[in-house]
Amino acid sequence: MAPNKSTQSSQPMNGRVLFYSLLLTLQYGAQPLISKRFTRREVIVTSSVLTCEIAKVMCALFFMVKEGSLRRAYKEWTLVGALTASGLPAAIYALQNSLLQISYRNLDSLTFSILNQTKIFFTAIFTYFILRQKQSIQQIGALFLLIVAAVLLSIGEGSSKGSTGGHADQTLFYGIIPVLVASVLSGLASALCQWASQVKKHSSYLMTIEMSIVGCLCLLASTLKSPDGEAIRQYGFFYAWTPLTLVPVISNALGGILVGLVTSYAGGVRKGFVVVSALLVTALLQFLFEGKPPSMYCLVALPIVVSSISIYQKYPYQIKIKKKES
């Protein structure tokens, strides 16, 4: 018996999804190490984030031209529709990216990656309030495990570096707190993007372009009064940059494109696989390139995070259908 057309058409799509997922796994797992290794501490955060957003726009435009969707998107695009779909999420993501850049520099790579997974918990909360998506009992338990791991890491980071009070404070206020606030913002922005994609039917590339442009405008406006803006005016936009600084910028930009593609083609289940795999990639790369094995707190928290994400993806909420009596 010959395979039906739907089976044949699904095979290339599954291969594409697998390819995007593998790329995103490598990018997501390696990004903390790449940023830490190739970005000097003196680099102005706003300049790095702005350059990354510009790179996202260029990448998205390139892919839209390649697939032939740019002309159609241009004809259908409206300013009101773009601001409605992408304005608020873009502003949120711009602030989130700035916080992540700060956190990268003050936490070890694996701790950062695990704490960053708390965004799943906040995404679940905001999707419930915005989209009314309910969670199963198993998913609620998994989210609780995730928070336990985050608290464990927070306590562990503070106590392990508690011998020097100033250094512990720097880890808390410039490492742990920024990444947790960024997770809250990520959850809110993800829920808003999901709502926009269901209502506006935007392509992932167009959404990336709109959000990056709005995010750039918000960041440029913030430079009028922010310390980063003062530093840019005093030292220049590319102060302390080297050619290698472009490596994490381009990697982060491609990661933003891949997130949209994986979510668009595969949804949350495959993205959960990416998140779990990326944690393992981060731990392996940190050991290989930094020669530093994971701390005891990370070793305890890592299986908790992996288990919680796996349970959350495996036991989705099931809508109960009442049988009508004949």
Side-chain angles (χ1 to χ4, degrees), residues 16-66:
R16 182 183 299 180
V17 169
L18 179 61
F19 178 68
Y20 290 151
S21 299
L22 289 175
L23 287 180
L24 182 58
T25 300
L26 293 174
Q27 184 276 328
Y28 196 90
Q31 187 65 40
L33 283 85
I34 293 174
S35 296
K36 194 173 183 179
R37 184 174 291 265
F38 296 128
T39 304
R40 297 171 61 182
R41 295 182 67 89
E42 295 83 5
V43 170
I44 302 171
V45 172
T46 300
S47 70
S48 177
V49 176
L50 273 171
T51 307
C52 179
E53 295 302 321
I54 294 172
K56 284 183 185 179
V57 173
M58 295 174 64
C59 291
L61 286 173
F62 171 79
F63 289 123
M64 291 183 75
V65 170
K66 187 176 180 180

Side-chain angles (χ1 to χ4, degrees), residues 10 20 25 28 48 52 86 129 164 211 242 249 283:
S10 64
Y20 290 151
T25 300
Y28 196 90
S48 177
C52 179
S86 307
F129 285 107
T164 55
M211 291 177 60
T242 67
V249 169

Side-chain angles (χ1 to χ4, degrees), residues 9-258:
S9 62
S10 64
Q11 289 176 352
M13 181 62 68
N14 290 335
R16 182 183 299 180
V17 169
L18 179 61
F19 178 68
Y20 290 151
S21 299
L22 289 175
L23 287 180
L24 182 58
T25 300
L26 293 174
Q27 184 276 328
Y28 196 90
Q31 187 65 40
L33 283 85
I34 293 174
S35 296
K36 194 173 183 179
R37 184 174 291 265
F38 296 128
T39 304
R40 297 171 61 182
R41 295 182 67 89
E42 295 83 5
V43 170
I44 302 171
V45 172
T46 300
S47 70
S48 177
V49 176
L50 273 171
T51 307
C52 179
E53 295 302 321
I54 294 172
K56 284 183 185 179
V57 173
M58 295 174 64
C59 291
L61 286 173
F62 171 79
F63 289 123
M64 291 183 75
V65 170
K66 187 176 180 180
E67 72 175 16
S69 62
L70 182 60
R71 185 183 298 272
R72 185 181 69 253
Y74 175 76
K75 291 180 179 180
E76 297 175 354
W77 185 86
T78 62
L79 178 60
V80 175
L83 291 176
T84 303
S86 307
L88 183 57
I92 294 173
Y93 275 130
L95 177 57
Q96 177 207 352
N97 287 334
S98 297
L99 291 171
L100 290 179
Q101 292 291 330
I102 296 172
S103 183
Y104 276 147
R105 307 176 187 185
N106 294 280
L107 290 176
D108 70 84
S109 302
L110 186 57
T111 301
F112 170 84
S113 294
I114 297 177
L115 284 175
N116 196 31
Q117 304 321 308
T118 57
K119 62 188 177 184
I120 298 177
F121 172 80
F122 297 110
T123 301
I125 292 178
F126 286 115
T127 51
Y128 172 76
F129 285 107
I130 296 175
L131 300 171
R132 292 300 175 186
Q133 289 187 353
K134 297 181 179 180
Q135 311 295 325
S136 66
I137 296 298
Q138 293 90 338
Q139 286 180 323
I140 294 175
L143 295 173
F144 175 75
L145 287 176
L146 198 63
I147 295 303
V148 169
V151 172
L152 177 65
L153 278 170
S154 301
I155 297 174
E157 278 295 302
S159 61
S160 63
K161 299 178 181 179
S163 57
T164 55
H167 198 79
D169 289 343
Q170 180 179 349
T171 301
L172 176 63
F173 291 108
Y174 295 98
I176 294 173
I177 291 179
V179 72
L180 290 179
V181 174
S183 294
V184 176
L185 296 176
S186 177
L188 176 59
S190 296
L192 291 173
C193 287
Q194 187 174 343
W195 172 83
S197 65
Q198 293 174 355
V199 175
K200 298 296 182 180
K201 306 297 182 182
H202 273 26
S203 71
S204 61
Y205 294 133
L206 182 59
M207 195 85 171
T208 298
I209 293 173
E210 292 174 349
M211 291 177 60
S212 294
I213 292 175
V214 175
C216 286
L217 294 175
C218 293
L219 283 173
L220 288 173
S222 71
T223 58
L224 297 176
K225 295 293 184 180
S226 68
D228 275 9
E230 182 63 30
I232 289 174
R233 288 187 289 271
Q234 184 175 356
Y235 301 110
F237 186 84
F238 293 107
Y239 173 72
W241 279 58
T242 67
L244 291 177
T245 309
L246 288 173
V247 174
V249 169
I250 295 174
S251 173
N252 202 8
L254 292 175
I257 300 290
L258 289 170

Side-chain angles (χ1 to χ4, degrees), residues 268-318:
V269 175
R270 185 59 64 91
K271 191 177 178 182
F273 164 77
V274 169
V275 170
V276 175
S277 302
L279 286 173
L280 302 178
V281 170
T282 301
L284 176 62
L285 293 177
Q286 180 174 276
F287 177 71
L288 291 176
F289 291 99
E290 297 182 357
K292 184 175 74 172
S295 67
M296 182 60 64
Y297 295 98
C298 287
L299 291 175
V300 174
L302 181 58
I304 296 177
V305 173
V306 172
S307 300
S308 66
I309 297 175
S310 300
I311 293 171
Y312 187 85
Q313 300 294 338
K314 189 175 181 180
Y315 298 99
Y317 179 80
Q318 301 291 336

